[in-house]
Amino acid sequence: MNVAVGIFMAVFGLSFAVFAGRFSRASAASSEEMFGTSGGKPMQVWNRTVFTVIGIALAAFGVLYAIGVVG
């Protein structure tokens, strides 16, 4: 079961990292719709960075969990 959960977490994290640009654009569009401003280019760069870093961290944790190093 640990292997299945670890693989799922790794795939989920990698999808965050791969689609970081798309998630960043969607976040900017949502902010513009709700608040009237997207935060500009610095906010898009920040969002992309955060999605990428969190995605890579989730993927790494998932791999470590699958092989039994953590958890």
Side-chain angles (χ1 to χ4, degrees):
M1 189 66 180
N2 288 348
V3 173
V5 172
I7 290 171
F8 174 78
M9 287 181 64
V11 169
F12 188 72
L14 285 176
S15 69
F16 260 67
V18 168
F19 295 114
R22 181 173 290 199
F23 291 152
S24 176
R25 286 190 305 274
S27 177
S30 173
S31 293
E32 180 127 20
E33 184 71 28
M34 296 293 290
F35 306 113
T37 181
S38 66
K41 184 71 172 170
M43 186 58 81
Q44 270 192 320
V45 171
W46 171 253
N47 284 341
R48 182 177 304 202
T49 304
V50 168
F51 280 121
T52 303
V53 168
I54 289 175
I56 291 171
L58 270 174
F61 183 78
V63 169
L64 292 175
Y65 191 79
I67 62 176
V69 175
V70 295

